[in-house]
Amino acid sequence: MTNKEFIHYFVTAHLNVKAGKPRPQPISNYEKIENRWLALHGLGKLETFRYLYSECQSEADFIQWLRDIRGADAVTEAGRLFDGLSTAETESTQRILTAEQWQHWQEQGYLRIGGLVPPDYCERVKQFICDYQGIDLNDAASWYPHHQDWHGLMLQVYQQPDMETIRRHPAVKQLFAELYQTPNIVANTDKVSYNPPETKQWKFRHHALHWDIDHRRPPEYYIQGLIYLDDTPEDRGPLKLIPGFHHSYEAYQQQFSNPVAAQHAIELEAGAIPVPGRQGDIVVWLQTLPHAASINRSDQPRFVQYLSFTKVD
């Protein structure tokens, strides 16, 4: 399937759904193709679907929107990459993981790695999150905005230069390349999150352990990640997870009649540990590890940018 053919299928499928019409004939491995196309074009899923199901009326509309937010040259190059007419540039980067870290990854299914991204990169994204929502860190009354793009924890923003700088940093790619054991990966366009301290008036309701998995199909080797944009000690809402759970994920699922029952059960499972970190620390974990943000009980907000990659080979 060429880039042009994919755009036609992709837009037609969603516009048909919006209009109550039948979807086009399904194609094999569609989800992987879609993920690859979105990653190469630097698009977040939510922002793309939001446009398709709101303003978009035609394939021409979609192509113009794509050029407007990504730039004509970037769109052309992404299309060439998708069609295999061009190859992504690779930078020679020194190996990051030690033998001990690789063993920990295999045994525990997660890692915390520091020193890959300069602190000022993190500061810029942190400041963007504040500016975007009208937050003044010197005024706690401004820490609980009613912004339309802030949903509980996630700030649904994708196209921002400082975020792009972090997700496309060579050392970040090198880390994921070592974990995937291939350089043929491309950064996904992920969002950021903002988690202020819990108060009597504002309660954090997204701290239950969960998986971000489509349980209808066998789990793949997929790596989730985040970078702490500020120091995140144990009381400031760090990621929590159950180490080593990837070894027992499938057996655990088989105990239940359906994935919903398993999800409800994992919320009460013991064994989760917090993974605190310093500014710039990257935490990566296998998607089969139950995880969640923890409640922020400190006196400062928590700032995070999510990181992940898609294999393109």
Side-chain angles (χ1 to χ4, degrees), residues 28-33 35-36 45 105 109 179-180 188 211-224 246-247 249-250 285-289 309-313:
S28 61
N29 294 320
Y30 174 76
E31 186 175 354
K32 288 186 177 180
I33 297 171
N35 288 339
R36 178 172 170 264
K45 282 191 175 182
W105 172 255
L179 295 173
Y180 276 119
N188 294 321
W211 298 281
D212 302 306
I213 296 178
D214 182 350
H215 296 286
R216 295 172 298 178
R217 50 178 62 94
E220 297 183 348
Y221 181 84
Y222 185 76
I223 301 163
Q224 298 177 256
H246 57 302
H247 298 299
Y249 169 80
E250 293 189 63
W285 67 96
L286 288 168
Q287 68 168 348
T288 44
L289 266 58
F309 282 72
T310 291
K311 293 174 66 176
V312 294
D313 52 0

Side-chain angles (χ1 to χ4, degrees), residues 207-210 242 252 261-272 290:
H207 54 85
L209 291 170
H210 64 277
I242 301 182
Y252 186 86
Q263 177 59 64
H264 288 322
I266 203 64
E267 294 176 4
L268 305 175
E269 192 73 24

Side-chain angles (χ1 to χ4, degrees), residues 277-289:
R278 302 296 300 273
Q279 183 180 57
D281 282 359
I282 293 174
V283 182
V284 287
W285 67 96
L286 288 168
Q287 68 168 348
T288 44
L289 266 58

